[in-house]
Amino acid sequence: MFNNELMADVHFVVGQPGRTQRLPGHRYVLAVGSSVFHAMFYGELAENKDEIHIPDVEPSAFLAMLKYIYCDEIDLSADTVLATLYAAKKYIVPHLARACVNFLETSLSAKNACVLLSQSCLFEEPELTQRCWEVIDAQAELALRSEGFCDIDAQTLESILQRETLNAKEIVVFEAALSWAEAECQRQELTSSTDNKRKVLGKAMYLIRIPTMALDDFANGAAQSGVLTLTETNDIFLWYTAAKKPELEFVSQPRMGLTPQRCHRFQSCAYRSNQWRYRGRCDSIQFAVDKRVFIAGFGLYGSSCGSAEYSAKIELKRQGVLLGQNLSKYFSDGSSNTFPVWFEYPVQIEPDTFYTASVVLDGNELSYFGQEGMTEVQCGKATFQFQCSSDSTNGTGVQGGQIPELIFYA
């Protein structure tokens, strides 16, 4: 009976004018599947129309909802899930709506988090809203530079700009706001002049914490953007340099950002004169965690015979696919401390899936190394599991070796 004219006693004209689709339906089946359809067909105010126009729902989404009502099958895709969620909410089909939210949570990333944040607020889905904020906070710079950021509404823009835990440089926040303003000018059919960008930003402009930028970022970026008035530019320069600072309309307190957590997998460390050595070989370990986290970097051991500088190539893979890498240097002071090495952007880690953390070190051969390694470590609300990696060619494993710490946001 699904999408079948046979015995159909009602028809729906779905979609906006010029892009409509006429779909058959059966009143009794629909009434059983949705309290809205029941009221529409059999309630006290029921209208006996043979054709019902629904301009605010996309035909593909309406078909997905009908397929669930008729067949108890959920057919979702990235292109239709938001529209299907709207249809499921409108016609009160709760199980389908929950499936849509689960699909969105699974596919959530820095690229779509800002758009989904605005939609989750519209659909009143607090769990999805919280998940969006987790991604935006931890991967703020990726989220702000995504194409989807320019598509959000003004209210969502303001909520992001005033976010205290946004983990991003303020110059990135400023540049993202200007990109949004340019897109908003196009939506309002305005020329993309600096005056119009300032106009469409409105009070959101003062949510950007311009005085907390590095002086070079301000001088080479914001000060020359044209969106600040001469008075504002002059006052901010004075705020940086003068003993008596002028009053500013901009917030001058830096954002708190996120505090990274450290999962330490060894109970002790040691060194011996003939080990641990680095000759371009790879130290690697596999790990899984029981909740979604964001790996920001690794804590690494350093030289066991005086201070030394190391070059570190760090990588994070899932089933052989490279998710993040970075090549950087760090200075070891000769102590048994760990030294942080960061990825350019935090990497999102899905729960209950094994990932491979690897590092290739170049520097002083003799180093500290971990001992009494643990296969399971409780760190805050997250539980990490460790197992040996076949990529490891320098001796690192669960019981001992390098990569003593995973640095993460939860």
Side-chain angles (χ1 to χ4, degrees), residues 121-384:
C121 295
L122 177 66
F123 293 135
E124 297 181 340
E125 287 290 342
E127 290 183 19
L128 180 58
T129 300
Q130 178 58 33
R131 281 287 302 112
C132 290
W133 277 125
E134 289 173 7
V135 174
I136 293 169
D137 280 343
Q139 297 181 302
E141 295 195 358
L142 284 175
L144 293 171
R145 286 173 169 150
S146 67
E147 291 183 12
F149 180 79
C150 294
D151 297 329
I152 62 178
D153 59 275
Q155 185 177 352
T156 304
L157 173 72
E158 290 181 12
S159 66
I160 292 174
L161 294 184
Q162 65 189 11
R163 186 79 172 170
E164 187 68 34
T165 45
L166 210 59
N167 203 33
K169 295 178 182 176
E170 206 62 30
I171 186 63
V172 177
V173 178
F174 178 81
E175 290 169 350
L178 286 193
S179 297
W180 180 90
E182 185 171 349
E184 183 65 13
C185 285
Q186 293 176 3
R187 286 189 285 269
Q188 296 187 22
E189 298 182 350
L190 301 171
T191 57
S192 295
S193 65
T194 53
D195 288 342
N196 284 336
K197 289 179 184 178
R198 178 70 184 247
K199 178 183 176 182
V200 297
L201 280 170
K203 63 181 181 179
M205 186 71 194
Y206 296 105
L207 299 176
I208 307 169
R209 305 187 182 191
I210 294 176
T212 69
M213 291 181 187
L215 180 56
D216 285 351
D217 287 341
F218 174 71
N220 297 318
Q224 299 186 47
S225 66
V227 297
L228 297 175
T229 66
L230 287 176
T231 301
E232 288 170 342
T233 303
N234 183 65
D235 284 350
I236 293 172
F237 268 123
L238 288 175
W239 194 90
Y240 279 110
T241 57
K244 185 178 180 181
K245 301 185 183 300
E247 291 187 8
L248 301 175
E249 290 190 66
F250 297 94
V251 179
S252 57
Q253 285 293 111
R255 300 177 195 272
M256 291 174 55
L258 293 176
T259 302
Q261 300 181 51
R262 294 177 180 243
C263 174
H264 196 93
R265 66 188 191 92
F266 296 124
Q267 298 181 67
S268 65
C269 70
Y271 73 91
R272 288 193 288 273
S273 60
N274 62 346
Q275 125 185 40
W276 196 268
R277 292 179 178 270
Y278 302 113
R279 296 184 179 132
R281 294 192 292 259
C282 179
D283 287 292
S284 186
I285 192 72
Q286 286 193 322
F287 70 93
V289 61
D290 64 346
K291 63 173 291 186
R292 187 180 283 108
V293 299
F294 301 86
I295 298 293
F298 306 150
L300 302 177
Y301 289 125
S303 170
S304 61
C305 52
S307 60
E309 186 178 64
Y310 286 90
S311 173
K313 181 183 179 182
I314 60 173
E315 291 185 344
L316 197 58
K317 294 180 180 179
R318 177 181 178 180
Q319 297 177 344
V321 178
L322 186 64
L323 302 177
Q325 66 176 352
N326 202 12
L327 180 62
S328 61
K329 296 181 182 295
Y330 70 93
F331 181 79
S332 164
D333 59 7
S335 71
S336 60
N337 295 332
T338 58
F339 303 92
V341 180
W342 307 91
F343 289 106
E344 184 178 4
Y345 303 109
V347 180
Q348 180 169 307
I349 300 299
E350 297 300 327
D352 304 320
T353 303
F354 273 96
Y355 292 78
T356 304
S358 302
V359 59
V360 176
L361 288 167
D362 185 19
N364 193 329
E365 282 194 13
L366 294 176
S367 166
Y368 287 91
F369 59 94
Q371 295 185 133
E372 300 178 277
M374 296 173 282
T375 57
E376 185 173 294
V377 180
Q378 182 77 31
C379 191
K381 295 182 179 179
T383 302
F384 288 80

